Amino acid sequence: MTFRFLPFLFFAIIVSILVPTTHAATPATCAILSSPIILRTGVSNPNVTFLQKLLNFDPATKVAPSGPGSPGHETLFYGPLTTKAIRRFQE
């Protein structure tokens, strides 16, 4: 059994804890979901770093074994290595 979804579940739990509610009757909204950002090959964005960190949790979806994109060396750039890691995650 594979547990590739665990980093995303962990992230959802952390976001639900950290995002404050502004009013007791109004539920908190996830800032990431309220203003979606399109990530695709060629994009440079701080969210790419976060995505690469999530992918690097699982050896099967690791962005790179060493160098840029590898664990501890995540980048802002969504390049071919990130695309390949996403495809492995989706399999």
Side-chain angles (χ1 to χ4, degrees):
M1 177 180 232
T2 176
F3 294 98
R4 291 183 187 176
F5 67 91
L6 285 178
F8 297 101
L9 178 61
F10 177 72
F11 170 72
I13 292 168
I14 295 300
V15 166
S16 68
I17 292 169
L18 295 179
V19 176
T21 56
T22 56
H23 187 271
T26 307
T29 58
C30 177
I32 292 173
L33 298 178
S34 64
S35 58
I37 296 169
I38 306 297
L39 298 178
R40 61 177 173 260
T41 304
V43 170
S44 286
N45 187 295
N47 290 317
V48 175
T49 303
F50 181 74
L51 174 63
Q52 289 179 355
K53 287 180 181 185
L54 288 174
L55 290 166
N56 284 337
F57 271 114
D58 185 345
T61 61
K62 193 179 293 185
V63 176
S66 62
S70 65
H73 301 281
E74 291 84 0
T75 69
L76 299 171
F77 182 66
Y78 193 120
L81 295 176
T82 306
T83 301
K84 289 177 185 177
I86 289 290
R87 287 193 180 132
R88 287 192 304 273
F89 174 80
Q90 292 175 334
E91 291 177 347

